[in-house]
Amino acid sequence: MASVIFKITVTLRRRVGWVRFPHSPATALLLALIVAGPAAVGAQERDSARAGIAAQQRQKTDTVPQPPLSPRRAFITSLLLPGYAQTVFGRSKAAMLFAVIEVGSIGMARKSAIDLQEAKALRQDSVVATYKIDPTTGLAQIDPKTGLPVPDTFIASRFTDDRVKARRTHYEDWIAAVVFNHLFSGADAYVAANLWDFRTNIGAVASSRGGVIYASLSWR
């Protein structure tokens, strides 16, 4: 009896590994991390250094002294109220000077306005110099309608056109003084705001040979 022999061939597939083979994705990822690690650390250090320098620059900028008032605000405040910005900057003498000039100019302008009104009101007036005398009695003649002596000669008013013009000029001069005091105060405050950290001291002392003028400068 013949027998039939079958040959069975079995092929075993090799298991694919992710770690065992040198060209696997895990190995490539590990090598990439090893290579890029120092570069990333260096970049982080450079970024930290830049951030530190920028912070120091901002700190220096923030520590720069700033004036209490900006030049524009100082000009406007002292233009409206002479001497105000000077008090903010600690310049009490300058503030007092502008305040005294302001008060004095306003007072004199008010007085000049009153004098001008008086001159205008009395420009057409006159003063009686003499009265008519009755030759019989030697007394002043009486007006039967008013019962008052009859004027004979008059003295013209002392408020002539030239005097009215002069008083008007005085009034305008004091008004101009008020305006210029406001402008000078504003300009002084503007300059003080720009040079507020520039300190100067000027004075004079007496010596055996005469007077000596000195000046000292300092910066904050």
Side-chain angles (χ1 to χ4, degrees):
M1 181 175 179
S3 61
V4 180
I5 300 173
F6 296 94
K7 184 178 180 181
I8 301 173
T9 302
V10 178
T11 303
L12 298 177
R13 294 182 181 179
R14 186 171 53 183
R15 183 178 298 175
V16 179
W18 290 93
V19 179
R20 292 177 59 187
F21 299 96
H23 299 291
S24 63
T27 304
L29 180 60
L30 180 59
L31 291 176
L33 291 176
I34 293 174
V35 174
V41 173
Q44 185 177 4
E45 291 179 354
R46 288 194 296 271
D47 293 340
S48 300
R50 293 193 188 97
I53 295 173
Q56 292 178 359
Q57 292 178 352
R58 287 195 300 269
Q59 185 177 4
K60 290 181 180 180
T61 303
D62 295 339
T63 56
V64 174
Q66 298 296 328
L69 293 176
S70 64
R72 180 180 179 181
R73 186 176 180 183
F75 174 78
I76 293 175
T77 53
S78 282
L79 179 66
L80 299 177
L81 185 61
Y84 173 77
Q86 284 76 7
T87 58
V88 176
F89 293 129
R91 304 176 63 240
S92 57
K93 294 182 179 179
M96 184 178 298
L97 176 63
F98 287 116
V100 170
I101 295 176
E102 181 74 7
V103 173
S105 299
I106 292 176
M108 292 304 297
R110 176 60 179 169
K111 182 180 182 301
S112 299
I114 296 175
D115 293 342
L116 178 59
Q117 292 177 358
E118 180 185 8
K120 288 181 177 180
L122 301 178
R123 179 168 49 184
Q124 303 298 331
D125 289 351
S126 60
V127 179
V128 177
T130 58
Y131 295 94
K132 293 183 178 180
I133 304 298
D134 189 351
T136 304
T137 61
L139 301 176
Q141 296 181 3
I142 304 299
D143 189 351
K145 294 182 179 180
T146 61
L148 298 176
V150 179
D152 187 13
T153 58
F154 299 88
I155 299 176
S157 174
R158 62 188 182 92
F159 298 105
T160 60
D161 293 339
D162 292 337
R163 178 163 293 187
V164 172
K165 183 179 179 180
R167 292 198 173 186
R168 181 182 292 108
T169 302
H170 293 167
Y171 174 70
E172 293 174 353
D173 290 342
W174 286 114
I175 293 297
V178 174
V179 173
F180 279 109
N181 184 57
H182 282 252
L183 294 176
F184 288 149
S185 179
D188 178 79
Y190 182 84
V191 175
N194 285 281
L195 301 177
W196 78 281
D197 56 346
F198 180 78
R199 297 296 180 182
T200 180
N201 185 18
I202 301 176
V205 294
S207 63
S208 59
R209 297 182 179 180
V212 177
I213 299 176
Y214 67 90
S216 61
L217 305 177
S218 62
W219 288 267
R220 290 183 179 179

